[in-house]
Amino acid sequence: MATLRLFASLREIAGSARVELEANTVEEALASAGTRFGPDFAARLSTAAVWRNGESAHMGDALAPGDELAILPPVSGGAPASDFLSLTSLALAAVLVVANIAEGDAWWAAALVGVAGLWVVDVSSQTAPRGRRLPLPAVLLTILGAAMAVHSWGMVGLGATLALAVIAVMAYGVFSRSIDEESEQRDLATIAPGVVLAMLTGAGVGSLMLARTVFQEDVRAATLFLIITVGAVTVGSLLEHLPNAWIDPFLGTALTAVAAAVVAALIWDQDWVSFLLVGLGVALALVAGRGFGSIVRTGRVTLTRRAAGVLASLDGVVLAAALYFFLLRIAI
């Protein structure tokens, strides 16, 4: 007897989030579910991602009693998924641009907290089907705490954020265990990514807040970050969708990041060498962040295609944000 955990449209069609059935292999289980719930269910099942006991599953994998298959369909309905993802990312970019233009730092901080929080929720939605339940409340608390700490204490607050990330995740594990004996929040497989995500997003929010307050008058650092990342991610996404692109998306992303930094330096009459170094650092972070995002979202490195998730295009941006203030301190 195997258990199927269904998500999104599959759960709606089946009318249940969990289904038990007899099957010897993953392929038999999916075929049985398709027959049981009809052709619409079977059609969506054919493009769904399947995990067995938290690991990526193959059709020929044998099933033992008690095995659990998590099935997550791709984004569907309305416009094509790629269009939906692009519009979502562009909308969040627009929010950050408007917040950066607004007077005062409150709107900028609020926008950063909101975007970082949505990214973490998106990552969590991809890890849940694999049986990896992230300590989402603890990570969100760290993001909010980072904004408050940096606003109150500046660079000292950024250091406090890293400590808060560890404390929040550990405390959540203790608390959740006390109210739910079935909780997995003490497992290393949950604690480690939870701490990393909390540190990364907290540092990203704090880093961009400091970039705006410390460097805004001289080099307009927050604006520079938006120019580099929005331009690089947009070009990279376009290259991924072109059938016969003449340049690799990774290389296109990196070159665009560097070029955007140098062009900004020339327009603003700044030291182009310093901006070039910042652009190189952000370019490396954007590429490395994509690999990091695929590990967190899928449990393995998948660089040939973007990992699933509405905000997967922000994986590299989050890593770049966490490193950005330190790049500025070194290069400028």
Side-chain angles (χ1 to χ4, degrees):
M1 182 74 69
T3 301
L4 270 62
R5 292 180 59 202
L6 305 176
F7 295 84
S9 58
L10 292 177
R11 178 176 57 193
E12 295 175 3
I13 296 173
S16 176
R18 303 178 71 91
V19 176
E20 294 188 351
L21 44 77
E22 294 286 348
N24 296 319
T25 65
V26 172
E27 185 175 17
E28 287 184 14
L30 299 184
S32 177
T35 302
R36 181 172 176 178
F37 297 113
D40 189 20
F41 184 93
R44 295 172 185 265
L45 199 62
S46 64
T47 58
V50 183
W51 288 276
R52 180 174 65 89
N53 300 331
E55 301 295 335
S56 180
H58 302 282
M59 292 297 103
D61 289 349
L63 294 177
D67 278 356
E68 184 177 81
L69 295 178
I71 307 174
L72 183 68
V75 177
S76 59
S82 58
D83 294 343
F84 175 70
L85 305 186
S86 300
L87 289 175
T88 303
S89 300
L90 288 175
L92 293 181
V95 169
L96 291 175
V97 169
V98 172
N100 184 44
I101 296 173
E103 292 291 335
D105 299 326
W107 288 109
W108 178 241
L112 291 175
V113 169
V115 172
L118 289 173
W119 179 78
V120 171
V121 171
D122 182 58
V123 172
S124 180
S125 71
Q126 298 301 312
T127 61
R130 297 191 295 115
R132 299 289 186 261
R133 293 180 290 178
L134 296 177
L136 187 58
V139 180
L140 295 177
L141 176 63
T142 301
I143 295 172
L144 181 60
M148 298 173 64
V150 171
H151 174 73
S152 301
W153 305 322
M155 286 184 282
V156 175
L158 185 58
T161 296
L162 302 181
L164 174 62
V166 178
I167 294 171
V169 174
M170 295 293 187
Y172 181 73
V174 173
F175 176 74
S176 63
R177 188 69 176 183
S178 67
I179 62 174
D180 183 3
E181 291 300 319
E182 298 299 323
S183 173
E184 300 174 356
Q185 298 304 324
R186 283 187 176 180
D187 292 345
L188 182 60
T190 298
I191 292 176
V195 169
V196 171
L197 287 179
M199 285 185 170
L200 192 64
T201 50
V205 169
S207 176
L208 291 181
M209 287 179 63
L210 286 174
R212 191 173 191 268
T213 55
V214 175
F215 293 96
Q216 185 68 5
E217 293 183 2
D218 296 330
V219 298
R220 289 168 280 196
T223 304
L224 176 63
F225 181 82
L226 292 175
I227 291 174
I228 295 175
T229 54
V230 172
V233 171
T234 300
V235 170
S237 297
L238 289 174
L239 290 174
E240 284 184 330
H241 290 88
L242 290 177
N244 297 309
W246 59 274
I247 188 173
D248 181 80
F250 294 103
L251 182 58
T253 297
L255 290 178
T256 303
V258 174
V262 173
V263 170
L266 296 177
I267 293 176
W268 295 338
D269 194 23
Q270 297 290 331
D271 179 13
W272 70 270
V273 176
S274 297
F275 274 50
L276 173 64
L277 293 176
V278 172
L280 285 171
V282 173
L284 291 174
L286 289 173
V287 175
R290 177 160 170 171
F292 166 78
S294 69
I295 293 174
V296 175
R297 292 171 183 273
T298 68
R300 60 187 185 278
V301 179
T302 55
L303 295 179
T304 55
R305 59 191 180 96
R306 195 178 300 278
V310 175
L311 300 180
S313 60
L314 298 185
D315 292 350
V317 177
V318 172
L319 179 59
L323 300 175
Y324 188 59
F325 181 71
F326 302 101
L327 290 172
L328 293 173
R329 297 288 291 184
I330 293 171
I332 298 178

